[in-house]
Amino acid sequence: MPDRAPQPVDRELPSEEARDLISLVRDIAQREIVPRAAEEEDAGRFPRETFRLLSASGLLGLPYDSAYGGGDQPYEVYLQVLEELAAARLTVGLGVSVHTLACHALAHYGTKEQQVEHLPTMLGGGLLGAYCLSEASSGSDAASLRTKAVRDGDHWAITGTKAWITHGGIADFYTVMARTGEEGPRGITAFLVPGDAAGLTGAAPEKKMGMKGSPTAQVHFDGVRVPDERRIGEEGQGFAIALSALDSGRLGIAACAIGLAQAALDEALAYATDRRQFGRPISDFEGLRFLLADMATQIEAGRALYLAAARLRDAGRPFAKQAAMAKLHCTDTAMKVTTDAVQVLGGYGYTADFPVERYMREAKALQIVEGTNQIQRMVIARHLAGPESR
Ligand SMILES: Cc1cc2nc3c(=O)[nH]c(=O)nc-3n(C[C@H](O)[C@H](O)[C@H](O)COP(=O)(O)OP(=O)(O)OC[C@H]3O[C@@H](n4cnc5c(N)ncnc54)[C@H](O)[C@@H]3O)c2cc1C
């Protein structure tokens, strides 16, 4: 059975332009994304043409400077766009979030020359990005990464293997963190590597529990030569750049999680209204009404939390603690709400005839990516303990 159209959420948006943007996204979601979601996820097919359409519609560079092809949108608008996309299909919402994460380093730390040369195609030229921090032996402890970049005249040679890379093997550009100096966080440098660089190869995608349409793969770098003009920021600044990207990226994951949870609630509500037992719609029973009320309340709370963090970011204020809180709360909410949605559908919820079983499998990934929820608690606790412990 195809996914149902998500119910429109009544959004608080700051401008007419933002309202038009949300309408455009809903239209694309209903026409292009929702009808193919279940079948393509089942087949493990990445919707490359959807990303070309999103790029052509100006939706792959929303929070960046329009001087370089971005959309000049505040984060509170960009995140609500992501939420709408993720409600239609998580692979698409998460893919846009990862692409935006991959653009962060150059957009915030690149030189003017680098930005003029590369950003327009990255933000609106149909290209797809990937962000390469994790390795097989360094996940939560990302600063212990081993992929090396060695200087060779005015070039660098990158050697090593990145793991768990969303869009690995299909991306047009990779933002890569590699070791150029001492052990630990201060010996890491960021590079912008083209997807067709000689010596760069993607492994076969991991066989995941969910989001099968979103390829997650190892990426091998076998002496990949990158000119020094593609180094982003200073030597040794790469880890700070990677973390700064993740602060914003976690808000993207939070918004995707709320979109997924909203889609699960919409499905559960529609089913509970249709399904009759004991001569009445099951939505008449208090046991289910309270479950649905809790699901809706957690979603509203999550949306309010990520939007509050986004508004701090838009105002130029510190937001890292709130971003970690939003990632933690919203992804735990997605896990809980999608699990409860399966419960509302009873036995049918446990089959692939309805999308809620897929939503539940997909939600699990969100508690792991861009820092597990244990790591989010560590980030929050460090902020609570004061600046000297960060
Ligand atoms: C679908 C998917 C997509 C991904 N996409 C990307 C991507 O595009 N780019 C990228 O760079 N990475 C990506 N990742 C990798 C992801 O960021 C890592 O999986 C994550 O950071 C956890 O690392 P790990 O898997 O090595 O687990 P580990 O770090 O080995 O953790 C294992 C367990 O130990 C816990 N743990 C570890 N340290 C602590 C601690 N100090 N205190 C308490 N608990 C701890 C963790 O919370 C976890 O429960 C992706 C992962 C997935 C599953």
Side-chain angles (χ1 to χ4, degrees):
M1 177 182 286
D3 295 3
R4 284 170 204 263
Q7 296 298 307
V9 172
D10 187 15
R11 300 192 176 281
E12 195 191 318
L13 293 160
S15 65
E16 198 53 44
E17 192 188 4
R19 279 186 281 281
D20 289 347
L21 204 50
I22 293 290
S23 300
L24 168 72
V25 172
R26 283 181 180 158
D27 183 50
I28 292 176
Q30 289 319 307
R31 266 188 306 112
E32 304 287 336
I33 303 176
V34 172
R36 290 158 37 196
E39 189 197 328
E40 288 194 343
E41 283 303 321
D42 210 28
R45 221 170 24 248
F46 180 72
R48 192 67 178 88
E49 46 322 319
T50 299
F51 278 81
R52 286 197 191 94
L53 172 67
L54 294 177
S55 181
S57 309
L59 297 172
L60 286 193
L62 281 181
Y64 295 116
D65 192 342
S66 58
Y68 301 112
D72 268 340
Q73 288 303 308
Y75 240 63
E76 67 164 309
V77 173
Y78 157 65
L79 292 179
Q80 295 195 70
V81 165
L82 270 190
E83 193 196 314
E84 294 278 341
L85 291 171
R89 183 174 175 190
L90 185 59
T91 285
V92 176
L94 186 92
V96 173
S97 184
V98 168
H99 172 85
T100 306
L101 178 75
C103 296
H104 182 101
L106 199 77
H108 291 273
Y109 296 88
T111 62
K112 177 115 179 122
E113 292 71 34
Q114 288 175 321
Q115 291 173 345
V116 167
E117 186 172 349
H118 300 295
L119 270 182
T121 47
M122 288 163 67
L123 299 180
L127 300 190
L128 183 69
Y131 171 90
C132 298
L133 179 63
S134 305
E135 297 179 6
S137 60
S138 57
S140 300
D141 182 15
S144 65
L145 65 84
R146 292 187 195 159
T147 293
K148 267 205 156 87
V150 177
R151 221 186 221 290
D152 175 15
D154 55 1
H155 277 66
W156 295 83
I158 304 180
T159 302
T161 298
K162 291 291 175 182
W164 304 110
I165 304 309
T166 301
H167 307 150
I170 63 162
D172 300 299
F173 63 90
Y174 294 82
T175 297
V176 181
M177 271 49 76
R179 188 160 302 285
T180 53
E182 65 192 64
E183 291 296 297
R186 292 204 178 79
I188 295 169
T189 302
F191 297 92
L192 181 68
V193 182
D196 60 359
L200 186 158
T201 48
E206 305 290 346
K207 292 186 174 143
K208 303 197 300 295
M209 180 192 289
M211 278 204 312
K212 297 177 191 217
S214 169
T216 311
Q218 290 198 342
V219 180
H220 305 299
F221 295 82
D222 183 9
V224 173
R225 278 174 64 78
V226 176
D228 191 49
E229 299 96 72
R230 281 179 169 268
R231 170 173 49 81
I232 307 172
E234 301 300 323
E235 280 180 50
Q237 201 187 359
F239 195 66
I241 292 174
L243 290 191
S244 143
L246 285 176
D247 283 341
S248 296
R250 283 167 184 161
L251 288 176
I253 301 298
C256 286
I258 292 303
L260 183 66
Q262 183 69 53
L265 173 63
D266 291 344
E267 193 67 30
L269 276 171
Y271 186 87
T273 314
D274 278 359
R275 172 75 173 170
R276 297 176 74 85
Q277 289 291 281
F278 301 99
R280 295 154 70 184
I282 58 170
S283 58
D284 277 3
F285 300 123
E286 194 173 78
L288 278 198
R289 293 173 78 81
F290 281 11
L291 187 62
L292 292 162
D294 283 349
M295 291 159 77
T297 304
Q298 288 160 27
I299 290 170
E300 287 289 349
R303 186 175 289 125
L305 189 56
Y306 88 62
L307 283 174
R311 286 170 186 143
L312 283 177
R313 187 189 188 282
D314 289 333
R317 307 219 339 243
F319 68 98
K321 178 182 73 177
Q322 289 82 355
M325 288 172 165
K327 198 274 180 182
L328 169 65
H329 176 84
C330 295
T331 60
D332 281 356
T333 292
M335 194 71 250
K336 172 92 173 75
V337 167
T338 54
T339 306
D340 288 345
V342 170
Q343 193 69 19
V344 170
L345 271 70
Y348 296 99
Y350 200 63
T351 71
D353 292 344
F354 290 86
V356 288
E357 63 83 31
R358 168 161 62 84
Y359 297 159
M360 183 177 156
R361 288 185 283 107
E362 291 177 338
K364 190 64 216 168
L366 300 176
Q367 293 179 306
I368 297 169
V369 299
E370 297 195 22
T372 66
N373 283 2
Q374 284 78 20
I375 297 303
Q376 304 308 319
R377 289 183 174 91
M378 282 171 52
V379 172
I380 296 162
R382 273 204 295 265
H383 279 274
L384 295 177
E388 51 293 336
S389 65
R390 266 170 240 158

